[in-house]
Amino acid sequence: MPQKRNKVVAFISKYLMLLLGSILAAVGVEEFLVPNQIIDGGIVGISIMLSHITGLSLSAFLIILNLPFLYLGYMQIGKSFTIATLFSVVSLAYWVAVLHPVTQMTNDLFLAAVFGGITIGLGVGLIIRYGGSLDGTEIVAIILDKKTGFSVGEIIMFFNLFILGSAGLVFSWDKSMYSLVAYFIAFKVIDITIEGLDESKGVMIVTDNPDEIADALMARLGRGVTILHGEGGYSREPKKVLYSVITRLEVAKLKAIIYEKDEHAFVTINEVHDVLGGRVKKRAIH
């Protein structure tokens, strides 16, 4: 029974976050971008331009243009993703229509690009974080990524450069440049929203003093350490390799600890996009 209750709570929480994300995205679109003839990337950007050219409802274009991609998503990615995406798109279209009569928040193009990018980035980031999407081009990029040598990010960037460039023909070239500013800000805010400000780093340490460094990391950073057993490629001597996950704020202290214990240690530090589990709780850096 508790397990069933937890599933219901998780389901409700998920769709509340998707709703909040669509409202934030709608505020960015209707209160900042559309009144100032600035566009976002993807289907939202195409919809804004088509609505301007035809005089038809932006909400209608948001739903109609996403429908083929929703079908692709259902066939290639899965039912849960498609339902979450459909909910998010319909919710965005609804709130765009609701906010359309509301007076825009600013006439300043730079402020509109900055704050439009921030609010859209927050909204889209929340939706992606909770298993949905607002943009059909992302679905195409995921599918093409499996069939081409290009990454999802590269495919999306190609689509969006074409779309944002088109804004220069529909509106003006300065509006196109402001659109690029809004898109760049939204892109960065999406990353922050998905990954969080407390960005994680995976650290691999090859050292002659593994036990001392492992003890210091656990005692002074409060981080769990895994000891891997390796072998030197040249010397063929057995080596202990340490692996740990820290935040970006702890990188400087980590380097200081390692240098203090073994100034000849070999260290690699990489981005970590998600972390689950871990037994040692974080302590204050000292």
Side-chain angles (χ1 to χ4, degrees):
M1 196 68 179
Q3 188 177 7
K4 185 176 181 181
R5 191 186 307 117
N6 290 339
K7 286 183 178 180
V8 172
V9 170
F11 178 84
I12 294 172
S13 299
K14 172 181 176 176
Y15 279 87
L16 283 175
M17 289 299 103
L18 292 175
L19 177 62
L20 177 59
S22 64
I23 293 172
L24 287 170
V27 169
V29 170
E30 274 296 342
E31 297 305 302
F32 293 105
L33 300 193
V34 171
N36 294 288
Q37 297 184 338
I38 298 172
I39 71 167
D40 187 27
I43 296 300
V44 174
I46 296 172
S47 298
I48 292 172
M49 289 189 288
L50 289 176
S51 177
H52 174 79
I53 293 168
T54 63
L56 299 176
S57 167
L58 173 58
S59 297
F61 281 116
L62 288 171
I63 294 174
I64 292 168
L65 294 181
N66 269 301
L67 286 177
F69 301 108
L70 285 168
Y71 176 74
L72 280 175
Y74 177 76
M75 298 299 294
Q76 299 288 331
I77 301 173
K79 182 180 177 180
S80 176
F81 170 81
T82 305
I83 292 172
T85 299
L86 177 62
F87 175 84
S88 302
V89 169
V90 172
S91 182
L92 172 67
Y94 172 78
W95 287 105
V96 161
V98 169
L99 292 170
H100 184 68
V102 178
T103 305
Q104 66 196 76
M105 292 187 179
T106 181
N107 293 315
D108 186 290
L109 292 177
F110 182 72
L111 290 177
V114 170
F115 285 95
I118 290 172
T119 50
I120 289 173
L122 284 170
V124 174
L126 276 175
I127 289 168
I128 293 173
R129 185 166 185 163
Y130 285 90
S133 174
L134 274 184
D135 191 352
T137 58
E138 292 174 4
I139 298 172
V140 174
I142 292 169
I143 295 169
L144 289 179
D145 173 56
K146 300 174 183 177
K147 300 180 179 179
T148 68
F150 298 102
S151 70
V152 172
E154 289 170 338
I155 295 166
I156 291 174
M157 182 64 71
F158 172 78
F159 285 146
N160 286 330
L161 285 176
F162 177 77
I163 293 164
L164 293 168
S166 301
L169 301 174
V170 176
F171 299 117
S172 64
W173 291 111
D174 62 332
K175 301 290 178 64
S176 177
M177 287 184 277
Y178 279 115
S179 297
L180 191 58
V181 171
Y183 170 73
F184 177 77
I185 292 171
F187 183 79
K188 299 305 293 183
V189 174
I190 288 169
D191 277 349
I192 292 171
T193 306
I194 294 171
E195 297 172 16
L197 289 169
D198 205 19
E199 187 179 323
S200 296
K201 305 280 186 180
V203 183
M204 192 82 76
I205 308 162
V206 182
T207 172
D208 292 327
N209 300 317
D211 297 329
E212 289 183 36
I213 293 177
D215 290 343
L217 292 179
M218 289 187 284
R220 294 164 65 179
L221 292 183
R223 293 296 176 185
V225 178
T226 298
I227 299 177
L228 310 173
H229 296 277
E231 182 181 287
Y234 177 74
S235 65
R236 299 299 178 185
E237 294 179 359
K239 290 275 187 181
K240 286 184 177 180
V241 181
L242 307 181
Y243 181 79
S244 186
V245 176
I246 62 173
T247 71
R248 62 184 176 86
L249 300 177
E250 295 167 332
V251 171
K253 185 63 180 178
L254 171 99
K255 290 179 179 178
I257 291 171
I258 295 172
Y259 184 78
E260 176 187 314
K261 302 295 182 182
D262 181 6
E263 61 182 30
H264 300 296
F266 177 75
V267 183
T268 61
I269 302 175
N270 301 297
E271 302 287 344
V272 174
H273 294 293
D274 208 353
V275 179
L276 298 174
R279 296 182 180 179
V280 182
K281 293 184 178 179
K282 182 182 181 300
R283 300 173 189 165
I285 297 173
H286 62 277

